[in-house]
Amino acid sequence: MKWVTVTTAPNEPIGESWAGLLRERGIPAYVKSETVMSLYMGSASTPVAVMVPEDQREDGAKILDGFLGSDEWPQEEGQ
């Protein structure tokens, strides 16, 4: 099975909650740290990838989009 990134979360706790949402809806998911720096900086301060099987990426993205919405992370003023 090939695993792919469905989204990137700002940190590990949020990534774990998003992966949990996917698992609750029948999509296997896990969190993968994006960089080696997470080992030094801590899991709460570095982005992580939320991984799903390649053939379930589209379904996973729809689930997260439906839950999080498109305005989950507001843009800075002027953008």
Side-chain angles (χ1 to χ4, degrees):
M1 174 184 324
K2 181 176 179 183
W3 291 82
V4 296
T5 302
V6 67
T7 192
T8 301
N11 57 52
E12 189 171 348
I14 291 173
E16 287 293 346
S17 69
W18 293 355
L21 288 169
L22 294 172
R23 289 190 296 267
E24 288 173 0
R25 286 154 182 83
I27 296 178
Y30 75 93
V31 171
K32 177 182 174 187
S33 295
E34 288 288 292
T35 67
V36 176
M37 288 304 292
S38 65
L39 297 172
Y40 301 104
M41 296 176 66
S43 64
S45 61
T46 57
V48 295
V50 179
M51 308 295 290
V52 297
E54 184 176 36
D55 63 341
Q56 294 182 300
R57 179 183 5 202
E58 187 175 320
D59 291 338
K62 286 179 184 177
I63 289 169
L64 290 176
D65 187 48
F67 181 77
L68 300 174
S70 59
D71 61 351
E72 175 68 15
W73 304 108
Q75 295 183 355
E76 294 180 22
E77 287 186 35
Q79 289 189 348

